[in-house]
Amino acid sequence: MEQQFTTFIAVYGWQLALIALAGIIILGVLKYANVFSKIDKENRQPIYLAISVGFSVIASAIYLAVIKQFEITYFCAVAAAILALNQTMYSIYENTKLRDLLHKIFGAIDAKIKAKKNKDAEDNNKESK
């Protein structure tokens, strides 16, 4: 995996690598938030793929257009590389402790946000009395 990621960075640049990883991160956040809980488990994988790869490919197209390097052949190569990197990163996310670590991080962030909202609500109640 590390070799594939470093090769991706060497060939396509760190900007496109970050865009590729952003698709996985967004999917992880959506999964953590149980956005897909109403969808049957057997139907989730194509949706996961569409979201993570779709976001990264669209964002890559926008990035390449902005920097005026969009060419269809180059874009197709980037899209194929993003798909391969995405599948590798998703497999690692699902099958290692990385998922557990990210869940702990998201849980801590969520707890801090809820604590801040509760404190703000208490402060507003005190002020209104």
Side-chain angles (χ1 to χ4, degrees):
M1 189 298 296
E2 185 178 324
Q3 182 181 5
Q4 184 178 7
F5 186 67
T6 55
T7 301
F8 188 96
I9 292 172
V11 173
Y12 299 107
W14 65 269
Q15 298 91 339
L16 287 173
L18 285 179
I19 290 170
L21 290 178
I24 294 287
I25 293 168
I26 289 170
L27 178 62
V29 170
L30 292 173
K31 285 177 74 174
Y32 179 79
N34 292 318
V35 171
F36 308 107
S37 61
K38 294 182 181 177
I39 300 171
D40 293 334
K41 275 198 168 194
E42 60 272 3
N43 296 332
R44 291 181 189 173
Q45 290 297 8
I47 294 169
Y48 295 163
L49 181 67
I51 289 171
S52 60
V53 174
F55 170 83
S56 295
V57 168
I58 291 168
S60 294
I62 293 168
Y63 170 74
L64 291 172
V66 166
I67 64 168
K68 296 178 175 44
Q69 289 187 359
F70 186 90
E71 295 177 18
I72 193 67
T73 53
Y74 182 65
F75 173 70
C76 289
V78 168
I82 285 173
L83 175 63
L85 183 63
N86 177 281
Q87 292 305 290
T88 302
M89 293 299 291
Y90 183 75
S91 177
I92 288 168
Y93 170 80
E94 283 296 316
N95 298 313
T96 64
K97 295 291 183 184
L98 179 60
R99 177 174 52 182
D100 298 335
L101 173 64
L102 291 176
H103 279 223
K104 286 182 181 180
I105 291 169
F106 292 148
I109 291 169
D110 190 36
K112 286 192 183 265
I113 291 170
K114 287 179 181 176
K116 174 81 170 124
K117 285 182 181 178
N118 288 340
K119 185 179 181 309
D120 289 345
E122 288 175 9
D123 291 345
N124 285 340
N125 286 338
K126 287 179 185 176
E127 288 176 7
S128 64
K129 289 183 180 181

